[in-house]
Amino acid sequence: MNYRTLTLASVSMAAALLAGTVQAKTLIFCSEGSPENFSPARATSGTTSTAAAETIYSRLVDFERGTTNLVNSLAEKYEVSADGKVYTFTLRKGVKFHTTSYFKPTRTLNADDVIFSVERQLKKDHPFNPIGGGKYQYFDDLGMSENLVKIEKVDDLTVRMTIKEALSPFITNVAMPFMSVYSKEYADQLQKAGKMDDIDLKPVGTGPFIFVDYVKDSTIRYKTNPDYFEGKSSLDGLVFAITPDSAQRVNKLKAGECNVAAYPNPADIENLKKDTNLKVLQQAGLNVGYIAFNVQKKPFDDKRVRQALNLAINKKTIIEAVYPGGIGETAKNPLPPVIGWAYNNDVKDYAFDPEAAKKLLAEAGVPADTEVDLWAMPVARPYNPNAKRMAEIVQADWAKVGIKAKIVSFDWAEYLNRTREGEHQTMMLGWTGDTGDPDNFLYELLGCGSAKSGGNRARWCNQAFEDLIQKARKTSDRAERGKLYKEAQVIFKDEAPWVTVAHAVQTVPMSKNVDGFKVDPLGRFKFYGVSMK
C-alpha cells in the first residue's frame, strides 16, 4: 500500500487553525486522500466529489442531505414532457457565483452557465472539452453523450434538455456531481487569458464553501460563502487535512486536531465508541466492494477461470479480517440489498470450494503456478477499509489452487487512471451508489458503454445482460424494472466478471461538539448544515 504521510506543514497548519480565534467555527476534516482535481465533470472518486462537488459546486437538482430523495437546487422547479423526453428547468433567480482572489463575477447564474457546463462534456468541438484530457467518465458511462440530443436556452432563467428516449434514471443522473454548474463568465475570462486549465484547478461555483487554496497531499482550505442561496453556513471555514493513514486520522481525531475523520480502521471503531469526547455515526451502506477480472486479458477471457477464482476465495475470512465487528456483510450481487425492489435474493453465491476451483482451472487449461497480478487500492474506502489486507487473503487463497498473485498498487489517482485504461489483470475497487437507482450500479459499472470508456473495470460486455439493463432504464414501471434487473443479476453471477466481496456499513467518527452531521448514503461528506457547539 502506498500510503503517504501528512507533512509537518499541514500538521502545523491544522494545529494553528485550531488554536486560532476561528477554532470554534472552523471545522477540520481529516480526509483520506488528495482529490484528482477540482473538476466534478472530470473526476470519478468520492474523494474529489467531497472536495469539490459537495463543497464548492451546486447542481440543478440534488439529493437531500442524508437521503437519496431528490430535491430542487439551482432549479426552483422542473417539468417533464408527457413522452418523458423533454426536461424544462426553471432556474433560481439571483444565485451568485463565488468571489475569489482570481475571479469577481459581474452577473448572477443564468442559462448560459448550465449550457456551458453540459456542452463542455457533450460537444467534442467545445473549446473546454479537451481541457484536462477530454475525458468525462460519468457523462459517457451513463450514456449522456449518446442520449442527450440537445440543451437549449429558452430564456435567461429557463433551460431545456431533450433526450432521445425516455430514461427513468435521467433526472437522478442530473443530480450527480458531474452535472455541477460552472460559471461561463469565469470560463470566458480564463479563455481570454490563455489559462483554461485553471477551470479545474481554481474552481468557482455557487456552493456553500469557497475554495481558498490547496497544498497537494496536505491541506485544502475553504471559507464560507456569505451569499449561498440556501443560507450561509454556520461554519466560518472548512479545512481538509489530507491524512491517508487511517491510524493517523484516528489519532488526530482523538487529539482534537480534526473534528471529523473519514473511514476509520474497522479495528479502531469499538475504541472510538468508548471515547467520551467522540461520537460515532453508522448507517447501512449503499455500496459494494469487488474484485474485477479484466476479461480482455488471458486467462480471464475464459469464464471458467473467473468462476474458479470466485470459488477459491474464502469470503468469510475476508469479512472477519477486513470488516470486523459487523461492519460488513458478504456480497453475492453487484447491487446492495438496501435496493430491495431490484435485489435478487435468489441468486446463489459461489461457495468456498478450492477443489472445484482446481477442477475448473484444469478444464480451462490453466497450468499450476500461473502468475497473475492483483491490484490493490492504496486508500481506504467505505466499501473496502483495508484493501492491502484483503489482497493478502486473496493471494493466499489463490495460491492454494495454483495461482500465484502478485500484489500491485499505485498512488490513488494513478491507480484509478491505470485501471480505467485496462492495464490490470485483476483489481480491487468498489462503488457507493450515486443515486440509489440500480441503473447506477448495473449500467455504470457493467454496461457495454462503460466497458469502452473504462468505468466497467472488468471490460465485460455481455449482450444478454446489456439488453436487460437497457430495457429496464427505458421503462418507468418499477415492478417491471425490478424483474429485469433480477434477471440481469443471474447472468452476471454465471459470467462472473467480478468477485462480489462485501457491502460495508458506513462509519463516521467525530468530536462531540460537531452538530448536525448526517451520514450520506451516497458515501460523500457534506458539511453544509453542520455546526460546532
Side-chain angles (χ1 to χ4, degrees), residues 81-384:
S81 63
D83 64 2
K85 296 181 181 178
V86 181
Y87 288 73
T88 303
F89 298 90
T90 302
L91 306 183
R92 286 179 188 251
K93 204 172 183 180
V95 175
K96 294 181 179 179
F97 280 97
H98 298 162
T99 295
T100 69
S101 60
Y102 44 87
F103 177 66
K104 185 174 182 180
T106 63
R107 63 166 176 79
T108 55
L109 171 81
N110 67 30
D112 294 333
D113 302 306
V114 180
I115 292 171
F116 167 82
S117 305
V118 174
E119 288 192 339
R120 177 189 175 186
Q121 302 176 75
L122 178 66
K123 295 186 173 180
K124 299 300 179 189
D125 61 350
H126 189 282
F128 277 83
N129 182 275
I131 299 302
K135 290 188 177 179
Y136 300 94
Q137 191 78 37
Y138 270 113
F139 197 83
D140 293 337
D141 287 352
L142 292 171
M144 296 286 278
S145 50
E146 295 175 358
N147 294 325
L148 185 59
V149 176
K150 61 183 175 182
I151 176 168
E152 55 192 331
K153 178 178 181 177
V154 178
D155 58 44
D156 276 355
L157 292 178
T158 310
V159 176
R160 181 180 294 149
M161 295 188 201
T162 303
I163 56 179
K164 281 182 186 173
E165 297 178 298
L167 292 176
S168 291
F170 179 77
I171 191 62
T172 51
N173 291 347
V174 173
M176 289 174 59
F178 74 94
M179 290 294 279
S180 292
V181 175
Y182 294 67
S183 164
K184 183 178 186 301
E185 184 184 15
Y186 176 49
D188 289 342
Q189 176 184 296
L190 293 175
Q191 187 172 12
K192 190 175 179 182
K195 297 180 177 178
M196 294 165 75
D197 287 343
D198 280 2
I199 196 163
D200 297 333
L201 304 174
K202 295 181 175 179
V204 170
T206 57
F209 298 99
I210 299 173
F211 176 80
V212 175
D213 59 31
Y214 169 47
V215 179
K216 185 172 169 50
D217 299 335
S218 175
T219 51
I220 310 169
R221 290 194 304 135
Y222 309 84
K223 63 181 179 182
T224 294
N225 177 6
D227 301 312
Y228 184 49
F229 60 88
E230 293 193 25
K232 182 183 174 185
S233 167
S234 66
L235 299 174
D236 292 321
L238 178 64
V239 175
F240 283 19
I242 299 167
T243 314
D245 188 301
S246 60
Q248 278 194 331
R249 290 197 295 274
V250 165
N251 288 338
K252 290 174 70 175
L253 181 65
K254 287 182 172 179
E257 293 180 12
C258 58
N259 308 108
V260 178
Y263 316 123
N265 187 325
D268 293 328
I269 291 174
E270 287 306 311
N271 282 334
L272 288 169
K273 287 179 178 178
K274 294 174 185 172
D275 191 320
T276 56
N277 294 316
L278 305 177
K279 57 184 174 182
V280 178
L281 304 187
Q282 291 187 299
Q283 180 172 297
L286 185 70
N287 61 49
V288 61
Y290 64 85
I291 301 169
F293 302 111
N294 186 341
V295 304
Q296 294 181 347
K297 289 191 174 181
K298 289 186 178 300
F300 303 105
D301 55 341
D302 188 328
K303 83 172 181 182
R304 292 172 297 182
V305 177
R306 305 193 297 265
Q307 291 172 334
L309 294 190
N310 263 276
L311 289 164
I313 293 176
N314 188 343
K315 291 185 187 178
K316 185 170 180 287
T317 304
I318 291 177
I319 295 297
E320 290 173 353
V322 180
Y323 304 86
I327 66 158
E329 61 176 321
T330 300
K332 63 179 180 181
N333 287 316
L335 284 181
V338 292
I339 309 179
W341 62 273
Y343 182 80
N344 191 339
N345 201 34
D346 293 330
V347 165
K348 188 176 179 183
D349 200 9
Y350 293 95
F352 177 51
D353 190 342
E355 292 307 314
K358 287 180 187 174
K359 188 178 176 184
L360 271 176
L361 289 170
E363 286 178 10
V366 178
D369 295 332
T370 292
E371 295 184 358
V372 302
D373 59 42
L374 172 60
W375 290 30
M377 299 147 47
V379 296
R381 300 300 300 151
Y383 43 76
N384 187 342

Side-chain angles (χ1 to χ4, degrees), residues 141-143 439 441-447 450 469-470 473:
D141 287 352
L142 292 171
D439 183 80
F441 283 81
L442 301 185
Y443 184 82
E444 175 77 14
L445 304 180
L446 294 160
S450 57
I469 61 172
Q470 286 284 2
R473 69 194 323 245

